[in-house]
Amino acid sequence: KKMEVKANLIKLHDEWIIAQVEPIEGSDSLPGDPDVWMIEPYVVDYDGKLNPWAEHSSEREFNVRSSDLTVVTNPSKALLARYLECIE
């Protein structure tokens, strides 16, 4: 049985990133604190190719401020399919 992956297409600074975005559980974060997890993020380039975001990091989950995400939307079916291949 395949795990259901819900991914978002997000804009962080000037990069489009596809990632799983989840709130930090039980976080009493102050405005401006990192308040979401960005899990398995990949940068989407102009041609729709995917490259690991922060590729030199050993981590695959990152704490970011939701206020830095200027756009949060749903990826196209084609992009989501490529993303699922990348993270398998």
Side-chain angles (χ1 to χ4, degrees):
K1 180 176 175 309
K2 270 187 111 84
M3 189 179 72
E4 183 66 30
V5 173
K6 174 144 182 32
N8 293 106
L9 181 61
I10 55 185
K11 190 159 193 188
L12 178 62
H13 304 301
D14 282 337
E15 293 180 309
W16 283 101
I17 298 168
I18 184 168
Q20 300 151 63
V21 180
E22 293 180 3
I24 294 170
E25 290 303 316
S27 138
D28 296 328
S29 62
L30 297 166
D33 280 352
D35 54 355
V36 292
W37 286 107
M38 199 166 63
I39 302 166
E40 291 284 355
Y42 280 76
V43 175
V44 183
D45 75 11
Y46 181 76
D47 297 319
K49 291 194 181 70
L50 301 181
N51 294 295
W53 186 79
E55 62 185 319
H56 301 293
S57 171
S58 62
E59 308 282 320
R60 294 313 302 145
E61 298 188 0
F62 301 90
N63 226 194
V64 295
R65 292 186 307 222
S66 56
S67 58
D68 287 341
L69 308 178
T70 51
V71 180
V72 178
T73 185
N74 293 316
S76 68
K77 284 193 171 67
L79 183 62
L80 182 59
R82 284 199 297 276
Y83 177 69
L84 293 175
E85 280 173 22
C86 286
I87 64 172
E88 270 178 0

